[in-house]
Amino acid sequence: MISGHKKIDWAKRFMPLLNLIESEYSQQKPLKDFTVGMSIHLEAKTACLAITLRNLGAKVVITGSNPLSTQDDVAEALKEHEIMVFAKHTKDEDVYFRGIVSVLEQNPDLILDDGADLTITAHTKIPSALKNLKGITEETTTGVRRIKALKSQGKLKIPVIAVNEALMKHLFDNRYGTGQSTWDSVMRNTNLLVSGKTVVVAGYGWCGRGIAFRARGLGARVIVTEIDPIKAIEAIMDGFEVMRMKEAAEHGDFFICATGNTSVISVEEFLRMKNGAVLSNAGHFNVEVDVKALERLATQKFEARENVTGYILPNGKTIFLLAEGRLVNLAAADGHPVEIMDLSFAVQTLSLIYLSQTSLQPEVYPVPAEIDYRVAEMKLKTLGVKIDELSIEQRRYLESF
Amino acid sequence: MISGHKKIDWAKRFMPLLNLIESEYSQQKPLKDFTVGMSIHLEAKTACLAITLRNLGAKVVITGSNPLSTQDDVAEALKEHEIMVFAKHTKDEDVYFRGIVSVLEQNPDLILDDGADLTITAHTKIPSALKNLKGITEETTTGVRRIKALKSQGKLKIPVIAVNEALMKHLFDNRYGTGQSTWDSVMRNTNLLVSGKTVVVAGYGWCGRGIAFRARGLGARVIVTEIDPIKAIEAIMDGFEVMRMKEAAEHGDFFICATGNTSVISVEEFLRMKNGAVLSNAGHFNVEVDVKALERLATQKFEARENVTGYILPNGKTIFLLAEGRLVNLAAADGHPVEIMDLSFAVQTLSLIYLSQTSLQPEVYPVPAEIDYRVAEMKLKTLGVKIDELSIEQRRYLESF
Amino acid sequence: MISGHKKIDWAKRFMPLLNLIESEYSQQKPLKDFTVGMSIHLEAKTACLAITLRNLGAKVVITGSNPLSTQDDVAEALKEHEIMVFAKHTKDEDVYFRGIVSVLEQNPDLILDDGADLTITAHTKIPSALKNLKGITEETTTGVRRIKALKSQGKLKIPVIAVNEALMKHLFDNRYGTGQSTWDSVMRNTNLLVSGKTVVVAGYGWCGRGIAFRARGLGARVIVTEIDPIKAIEAIMDGFEVMRMKEAAEHGDFFICATGNTSVISVEEFLRMKNGAVLSNAGHFNVEVDVKALERLATQKFEARENVTGYILPNGKTIFLLAEGRLVNLAAADGHPVEIMDLSFAVQTLSLIYLSQTSLQPEVYPVPAEIDYRVAEMKLKTLGVKIDELSIEQRRYLESF
Amino acid sequence: MISGHKKIDWAKRFMPLLNLIESEYSQQKPLKDFTVGMSIHLEAKTACLAITLRNLGAKVVITGSNPLSTQDDVAEALKEHEIMVFAKHTKDEDVYFRGIVSVLEQNPDLILDDGADLTITAHTKIPSALKNLKGITEETTTGVRRIKALKSQGKLKIPVIAVNEALMKHLFDNRYGTGQSTWDSVMRNTNLLVSGKTVVVAGYGWCGRGIAFRARGLGARVIVTEIDPIKAIEAIMDGFEVMRMKEAAEHGDFFICATGNTSVISVEEFLRMKNGAVLSNAGHFNVEVDVKALERLATQKFEARENVTGYILPNGKTIFLLAEGRLVNLAAADGHPVEIMDLSFAVQTLSLIYLSQTSLQPEVYPVPAEIDYRVAEMKLKTLGVKIDELSIEQRRYLESF
């Protein structure tokens, strides 16, 4: 059994940007005197982020961002890093909510949020938590949506940086992170061959592209479904077939949803599928595969393998669902690769430093472009890659346009 | 010898969108009573565009957009389609300019410009040409830059639509059009093997990506050079190597520039190259490879093959330049594939119809989003591809964010 | 916890060829009255093979082919299928050997061997086991080598079919099976990103090709090392870089050996590697990475993650070894995908039926070509794929050469 | 207009193996006192081979191997290299045959044949030409077939080396040479987009694989047709779709044959094709697309573009045939890339030297393995690539199997 400390050590080795930021600021300690409240899926990679913030001088108070995603051994290990931890793996929503409250009771100066539970709770239930609060960073699209709703009701009191919009996050996280970790999960949970199979990818956004290209890279034939005609033509030009889900349903061996929408695969499609089809979801919520409809439709349900549920349909065929239709790379594997999270967390850390040094109105802000570029430059540095610089002549030429 | 008519016939067969637009508007003739003045590289594909406009009811007056790119047989054939043609393949700039003037003297109601010569000349030299003018579409980035300069000096009198910004143009034209046609040109002009070679691609914008992916698809190892750290990391994550041009210079068998900048490859790089390196340019202007510096540097220059110039360097090595450093797919091959131009020209045609029916202030406008989507939907239709539509439930779900 | 029965059920669903053979022979029971002795890695996929042989009428007696690879829950489940099981997960070589002897004591008519322990033991220690024995199939290269040594000493008494040489085994098993399962294992055991990394693949045989193409498909830059100049040039033409291992050592983030040789990566290479390099082996034996030399060289050794050992080198760098240098897909993941084993086991089953019906001299034989083609045709049938057939005219044309 | 000399100069620059062989043997002149008679498609690349043989000391006498493939400017240029040339571009079979006879009248010591016209004529019509003849190398499969027929009738008098069987020829020539040059030809002759198109490749041998992988690399969806079930499954596992030609006929935008068989696409398929489908042949003979049947079927035939013939079918659709169904890369483009021919010709040259130094019985021989390896090693040397060598320990390990 590997301990929480070992898990953290492993991740930290492959997070060169967090390490570089720590070393660059080791004298300056820019977060000294700041209390940072964090709510995040508490596992090895996020633990590294907490430790970095601690090493930048912050007092860090942390809880989970989902009652089921906390890894207790990592939480324990984190306590030995002088971090206040209020997180426990639990199915008890109350326990989860008490963690949120406990963090807010520390009156944080900065909040790092993932899904906006800290932010919403502070604004709606614990106003005293706002009094020291100088700024918030929010990792997810979902959290940003909730915060914007707060704003539109005139209730947002604190400036918020929407981290997901940074180029160094969404360009990489979705294509390379989701692309790889989805297939890692599907392969390890099924032991099935991908070569020569037909993979149906629902959605050709950044995630869907990542999944489709990796599927081809593993030897599959790929069919894409879309609702946007421009993206549909991009998929065609990239060499994939495009059709409606109800037709694709007949062809797929594997189905992977990445649309951000609901009921993308439902009863009509289930009934058209081949015996043995394997369904999974790479989108944020477990609504893309219409699991409720599948549960109603099936005449029998059984555990086929760890993380794999079999459903026997009225037509006698059996289809399989991974991870109960939840995000397959997180719910049934280890989530994004370490280095991808390092990119996102470098953006997070620099955004928190920025917020600590800047006074802003209570709005939702994009990540400043200079942070994006600085993270990119740091990444190149840690890779030992040098790129060209514009000469004076070239700069002038560009300006002459 | 294939006549201009045959060239046009061939292109027209593979331009389903122009044909669809013609048939949809065959009764309505939306450009009836409009004189459309065109300046464009006059060859088979653009001839099809002119004929489509004619078939939509317009009186079409056309000249070239570069004195060297006019194909005389196509120009002749076009006259038989009841189109006024003032274009001739020539090295005489005066002859070229008289063509521009002749078009303007027809007092066009609409202008379709490629590089902005019609637009600039009308505004600066032939003000009478503005009197009927209701709107302009401009195909290129360069033309838009010139028009914006006019605007910034307060001199723009006519509304202009910047066609290049349409998704259905730049997403496809650059990746799939430039990607294919660049390699078509390099292969046909050299008869050299691409497999196993090292290809250096300067610039990882849409064009550079297209060129890099096609190079890999042909079996090459690809090195990318960039000045933007974010694009550099994208290139790395896509599996390419990234380094500075001066280091890449030592590795490349083929060099292809697609930066939009000047002097991307110059003396320092020439002198580091392997004997037999082949240089070409996929960017708009012939300044990316520093041809002037190469001419000064070389101790000897010779024609090695059609469209291939050999330069013997002071270090005794010989390097080769395709098409004198001009846009290699246009100057030494047939330009973009037909179907790619069909997408762009569908955007052009619908933009002209839009301008004919709308009164706008003299500004530079993007292509209306509905035109982009309509072109995408027409393309799907001509391909026989059906895509999913949002259900009411899904639409509601998306709005609930 | 998933039981042995469930594991078998899952595999059996995705083994259409074994199921098809069972159903085709369900009346005929061609192995009726035959006792088949098996020695094989006893897990879900091989259990399906045993059940198929049982369903073809055989009395099946089974033991493991490696003391550590037996899965006890599957072994238990198999007993309920009327199969005699003498296998136990153990580190005790004596226990393992007693299993071998127990199988032989059943006086099998046919032997299905994996590594030749049944064959060698019967010939050298339990001659009575040869008396009923009509034929042997051997799955592995290693086993075939041992049997050929026996033959060269004039001691082979029984005809043997070398299954590995079948096209339907080695063309697929190595490229698609090893290719996928190696990366499945590396990804699940490290949670590291493959995109943008440099992967060094030692050996460009069928396995190495599979690993290299999958690495590229996952977004990596790939370097190949070889000792055969022709294979080296194939790798170059396929777009990979080729260099000596001692140079490649400086570039690799991941190293994967697939050479079939010893000490492919040793002290000189370890000392040139980047900090954090990850080593693994996809070859049959744990000698490709020179683990003994690494153990001696390292100043410290630690468990970094499950299946990952960290070694701190005298130069201060840390490198990681997966699965102690053993076959990474079997020792630290689930081995080949199910469908790949189905192909091999269809060849095995048909070879056993062939042996049961044929009298052969005691030699080592290839799998009869008609079995290879029959398996391929069955696979197409289960996929629902139809292919062209030669017309009389075409057949004549080919003969006219 | 580029002269024959320039064409030869260009090719010679990119034939490092011929140049290396020349320089290694520059003192020794191993072909001194040997007259080499050549029959070969006379263009720049083969001219380089002739010059190399001359520079190795041989007296070279050359004619074409097809009346239409001789390039007269290259033939003229060759005369200035002290080579006797009896070749002319002609449609007159008698003129062609006189060239063959003229070469034989020089009483060659060695023959380099391409299609076996020299060999067959010498054996059947000009027996005096055999008297000095020490050996023959034959480049093609077709030529080897004819020579084997001669042998089977007991009439072969001279030892023959079958060059096509060398690994350094057929592994590279077919995959990388045909793969690239077929698409070079299709693109340059049609100016059509490959991205997003459906390409049907008939035959999944080495050529078909090359064509299919390049098609995918250019962005196409690929369908493969086969008659061999094992190859069909390989195509499926490589991610391609497999179906019968009559079904594929409905899907294809481009059809490319590489089967070596006759009437692979005929009336039933023509009538199922989409309007605008483009057919071409990459196989040796112009029988794969059943051109005769197409001519009979079509209601009209027209020249659509250079090298492109349009056929209007009774169903009103038009389909296009490239290069009259002849080998599309040779008949409508420049054949294989230069470097690929350099590999083949290095094998040819070393085989001739071998024949000059060895006395053999009149049989058909494979290329000696040491020549294959030597050519591979020379190629690595000219690329500057170093590979690993077996250590004594490794050599022993391999022998211990």
Side-chain angles (χ1 to χ4, degrees), chain A residues 141-142 145 167-168 171-172 175-176 206 209 213-214 225-230 232-238 242-247 259-264 285 287 290 339-340 343 369 372-373 375-377 379-380 383 385-391 393-395 397-398 400-401, chain B residues 141-142 145 167-168 171-172 175-176 206 209 213-214 225-230 232-238 242-247 259-264 285 287 290 339-340 343 369 372-373 375-377 379-380 383 385-391 393-395 397-398 400-401:
Chain A
T141 311
T142 305
R145 177 186 59 76
L167 293 173
M168 289 307 296
L171 280 185
F172 297 91
R175 277 187 293 183
Y176 312 106
W206 291 115
R209 281 158 214 239
F213 274 90
R214 291 295 167 262
T225 74
E226 249 301 338
I227 52 126
D228 179 322
I230 297 177
I233 295 174
E234 280 188 279
I236 290 169
M237 292 294 182
D238 286 338
V242 173
M243 57 184 79
R244 289 181 294 193
M245 184 56 86
K246 67 181 177 193
E247 281 102 32
T259 69
N261 208 325
T262 187
S263 303
V264 174
F285 291 110
V287 296
D290 190 345
E339 301 91 333
I340 286 292
L343 292 175
D372 245 343
Y373 279 91
V375 169
E377 282 161 1
K379 180 69 182 174
L380 288 174
L383 290 171
V385 171
K386 287 180 179 152
I387 63 173
D388 286 317
E389 288 177 21
L390 289 179
S391 67
E393 177 202 2
Q394 288 176 323
R395 208 171 286 276
Y397 180 85
L398 288 182
S400 78
F401 270 96
Chain B
T141 311
T142 305
R145 176 186 60 75
L167 293 173
M168 289 307 296
L171 280 184
F172 297 90
R175 277 187 293 184
Y176 312 106
W206 291 115
R209 281 159 214 239
F213 274 89
R214 291 295 167 265
T225 73
E226 251 301 337
I227 52 126
D228 179 322
I230 296 178
I233 295 174
E234 281 189 279
I236 290 169
M237 292 295 181
D238 286 338
V242 173
M243 58 184 78
R244 289 181 294 193
M245 183 56 85
K246 68 181 176 192
E247 280 102 32
T259 68
N261 208 326
T262 187
S263 304
V264 174
F285 291 109
V287 296
D290 190 346
E339 300 91 331
I340 286 293
L343 292 175
D372 245 343
Y373 278 91
V375 169
E377 282 161 2
K379 181 68 181 174
L380 288 174
L383 290 171
V385 171
K386 288 181 179 150
I387 63 173
D388 286 316
E389 288 177 21
L390 289 179
S391 66
E393 176 201 2
Q394 288 176 323
R395 209 172 285 277
Y397 180 86
L398 289 183
S400 77
F401 271 95

Side-chain angles (χ1 to χ4, degrees), chain C residues 37-49:
Chain C
M38 295 176 68
S39 160
I40 203 155
H41 302 282
L42 209 166
E43 45 77 64
K45 288 167 281 191
T46 53
C48 292
L49 172 57

Side-chain angles (χ1 to χ4, degrees), chain A residues 232-371:
Chain A
I233 295 174
E234 280 188 279
I236 290 169
M237 292 294 182
D238 286 338
F240 302 119
E241 282 166 272
V242 173
M243 57 184 79
R244 289 181 294 193
M245 184 56 86
K246 67 181 177 193
E247 281 102 32
E250 298 172 11
H251 296 284
D253 297 296
F254 295 100
F255 293 81
I256 301 179
C257 292
T259 69
N261 208 325
T262 187
S263 303
V264 174
I265 305 181
S266 192
V267 173
E268 182 175 6
E269 288 80 23
F270 298 143
L271 290 172
R272 286 166 170 255
M273 287 181 180
K274 292 194 276 193
N275 190 44
V278 176
L279 285 70
S280 53
N281 171 39
H284 197 74
F285 291 110
N286 60 345
V287 296
E288 305 214 10
V289 177
D290 190 345
V291 182
K292 285 179 190 162
L294 181 55
E295 299 261 341
R296 282 192 303 269
L297 177 67
T299 58
Q300 204 181 324
K301 170 185 172 183
F302 61 98
E303 184 185 32
R305 216 168 183 260
E306 208 181 328
N307 295 315
V308 184
T309 310
Y311 290 91
I312 303 179
L313 303 184
N315 61 18
K317 293 179 184 169
T318 303
I319 64 178
F320 298 97
L321 179 65
L322 301 192
E324 301 170 12
R326 288 180 290 139
L327 200 50
V328 72
N329 62 347
L330 269 169
D334 296 321
H336 284 330
V338 179
E339 301 91 333
I340 286 292
M341 299 315 294
D342 188 39
L343 292 175
S344 298
F345 291 168
V347 174
Q348 278 280 16
T349 303
L350 295 180
S351 294
L352 285 170
I353 295 174
Y354 172 82
L355 282 173
S356 76
Q357 298 170 344
T358 320
S359 283
L360 296 167
Q361 295 301 311
E363 302 275 353
V364 178
Y365 296 90
V367 172
E370 60 265 29
I371 289 181

Side-chain angles (χ1 to χ4, degrees), chain A residues 127-157:
Chain A
S128 65
L130 300 176
K131 74 168 187 262
N132 291 347
L133 198 56
K134 206 170 157 46
I136 294 166
T137 60
E138 167 55 47
E139 175 88 358
T140 67
T141 311
T142 305
V144 169
R145 177 186 59 76
R146 296 178 71 193
I147 292 168
K148 284 185 172 166
L150 205 70
K151 167 76 187 163
S152 73
Q153 293 171 33
K155 295 181 181 163
L156 183 66
K157 300 280 193 292

Side-chain angles (χ1 to χ4, degrees), chain B residues 172-191:
Chain B
F172 297 90
D173 191 297
N174 293 341
R175 277 187 293 184
Y176 312 106
T178 304
Q180 173 175 324
S181 60
T182 298
W183 284 107
D184 172 2
S185 179
V186 172
M187 291 193 292
R188 75 163 79 169
N189 284 298
T190 64
N191 195 217

Side-chain angles (χ1 to χ4, degrees), chain B residues 183 186 190-200 215-216 218-223 241 251-255 274 276-278, chain C residues 216 233 235-241, chain D residues 10 13-16 176 180 214 337-340 379 383:
Chain B
W183 284 107
V186 172
T190 64
N191 195 217
L192 295 179
L193 186 67
V194 182
S195 282
K197 294 294 181 64
T198 298
V199 171
V200 177
R216 174 184 285 167
L218 288 162
R221 166 193 173 202
V222 179
I223 295 171
E241 281 166 273
H251 296 285
D253 296 297
F254 294 100
F255 293 81
K274 293 194 275 194
V278 175
Chain C
R216 172 185 286 166
I233 294 175
I236 290 169
M237 292 295 182
D238 285 338
F240 302 118
E241 283 167 272
Chain D
W10 176 259
R13 284 177 188 279
F14 295 96
M15 299 189 107
Y176 312 105
Q180 173 175 324
R214 291 296 167 261
V338 179
E339 301 90 333
I340 286 292
K379 181 70 182 173
L383 290 169

Side-chain angles (χ1 to χ4, degrees), chain B residues 29-320:
Chain B
K29 303 277 181 203
L31 295 179
K32 198 173 54 171
D33 306 328
F34 284 83
T35 296
V36 178
M38 296 176 68
S39 161
I40 203 155
H41 302 282
L42 210 165
E43 45 77 62
K45 288 166 282 191
T46 54
C48 292
L49 173 57
I51 291 168
T52 291
L53 298 176
R54 178 73 199 85
N55 289 342
L56 296 180
K59 176 182 168 195
V60 177
V61 199
I62 193 166
T63 187
S65 64
N66 181 301
L68 287 167
S69 64
T70 296
Q71 295 189 11
D72 288 335
D73 55 351
V74 173
E76 282 309 303
L78 216 41
K79 291 177 186 171
E80 297 176 31
H81 285 271
E82 299 174 45
I83 286 170
M84 293 181 68
V85 182
F86 299 103
K88 201 174 167 49
H89 185 91
T90 175
K91 292 191 171 183
D92 185 337
E93 290 278 338
D94 287 345
V95 172
Y96 171 69
F97 186 70
R98 279 203 298 276
I100 295 289
V101 170
S102 298
V103 167
L104 292 173
E105 285 173 352
Q106 298 298 317
N107 296 323
D109 304 290
L110 296 166
I111 279 177
L112 187 160
D113 220 348
D114 181 301
D117 278 349
L118 283 177
T119 304
I120 301 295
T121 306
H123 278 80
T124 57
K125 297 191 178 146
I126 311 186
S128 65
L130 300 176
K131 74 168 187 259
N132 291 346
L133 198 56
K134 205 170 156 47
I136 295 166
T137 60
E138 167 55 47
E139 175 89 358
T140 66
T141 311
T142 305
V144 169
R145 176 186 60 75
R146 296 178 71 194
I147 291 168
K148 285 184 173 168
L150 205 69
K151 167 74 186 166
S152 73
Q153 293 170 32
K155 294 180 182 162
L156 184 67
K157 298 280 194 290
I158 310 290
V160 178
I161 289 183
V163 171
N164 189 60
E165 294 312 299
L167 293 173
M168 289 307 296
K169 176 163 190 303
H170 77 270
L171 280 184
F172 297 90
D173 191 297
N174 293 341
R175 277 187 293 184
Y176 312 106
T178 304
Q180 173 175 324
S181 60
T182 298
W183 284 107
D184 172 2
S185 179
V186 172
M187 291 193 292
R188 75 163 79 169
N189 284 298
T190 64
N191 195 217
L192 295 179
L193 186 67
V194 182
S195 282
K197 294 294 181 64
T198 298
V199 171
V200 177
V201 179
Y204 202 63
W206 291 115
C207 284
R209 281 159 214 239
I211 296 165
F213 274 89
R214 291 295 167 265
R216 174 184 285 167
L218 288 162
R221 166 193 173 202
V222 179
I223 295 171
V224 168
T225 73
E226 251 301 337
I227 52 126
D228 179 322
I230 296 178
K231 286 181 181 156
I233 295 174
E234 281 189 279
I236 290 169
M237 292 295 181
D238 286 338
F240 302 119
E241 281 166 273
V242 173
M243 58 184 78
R244 289 181 294 193
M245 183 56 85
K246 68 181 176 192
E247 280 102 32
E250 298 173 9
H251 296 285
D253 296 297
F254 294 100
F255 293 81
I256 301 179
C257 292
T259 68
N261 208 326
T262 187
S263 304
V264 174
I265 305 181
S266 192
V267 174
E268 182 176 5
E269 289 80 23
F270 298 143
L271 289 172
R272 286 165 170 256
M273 287 180 181
K274 293 194 275 194
N275 190 41
V278 175
L279 285 68
S280 54
N281 172 39
H284 197 75
F285 291 109
N286 60 344
V287 296
E288 306 214 9
V289 177
D290 190 346
V291 183
K292 285 178 188 162
L294 181 56
E295 298 262 340
R296 282 191 304 268
L297 177 67
T299 58
Q300 203 181 323
K301 171 184 171 183
F302 62 96
E303 184 185 32
R305 215 169 184 261
E306 207 181 329
N307 296 317
V308 184
T309 310
Y311 290 91
I312 303 180
L313 304 184
N315 60 19
K317 293 180 184 169
T318 303
I319 63 178
F320 298 97

